[in-house]
Amino acid sequence: MWYKAAGDAVHSDSDAASVKATIVRASVAKAKVALKKTSYTCDGKAKRSGVKSVTFGGRALREGTDFAVSYKDNKDPGTAT
């Protein structure tokens, strides 16, 4: 990763330099997810509850930017994923 510090009126800009960084995938097991609706009456149609909010590590996440939602097994009675 490259960086360069910008100076001010009394300090000069730094030379460009690099630093090694490792980005690791975080487990979302501890994310807090709130759904718009949590139960439905079975009518043979697929259900999509929609996500009300997701927070992870105290930070609000944005659908489409920080996470994506997909649905499957959401037509018959039981628990959908």
Side-chain angles (χ1 to χ4, degrees), residues 2-81:
W2 288 91
Y3 69 92
K4 182 176 181 178
D8 59 18
V10 294
H11 298 91
S12 300
D13 291 353
S14 74
D15 291 332
S18 67
V19 62
K20 187 174 183 173
T22 302
I23 300 171
V24 296
R25 188 176 290 244
S27 169
V28 295
K30 294 184 180 180
K32 294 180 182 178
V33 179
L35 301 175
K36 292 179 181 175
K37 190 173 179 181
T38 58
S39 64
Y40 292 89
T41 300
C42 181
D43 63 4
K45 297 178 183 175
K47 305 299 178 200
R48 294 176 178 251
S49 75
V51 176
K52 185 176 181 180
S53 65
V54 176
T55 56
F56 181 69
R59 180 177 160 234
L61 303 182
R62 293 179 294 177
E63 185 175 350
T65 301
D66 300 312
F67 68 92
V69 177
S70 63
Y71 298 87
K72 69 177 186 175
D73 300 328
N74 59 334
K75 187 175 180 181
D76 297 322
T79 302
T81 55

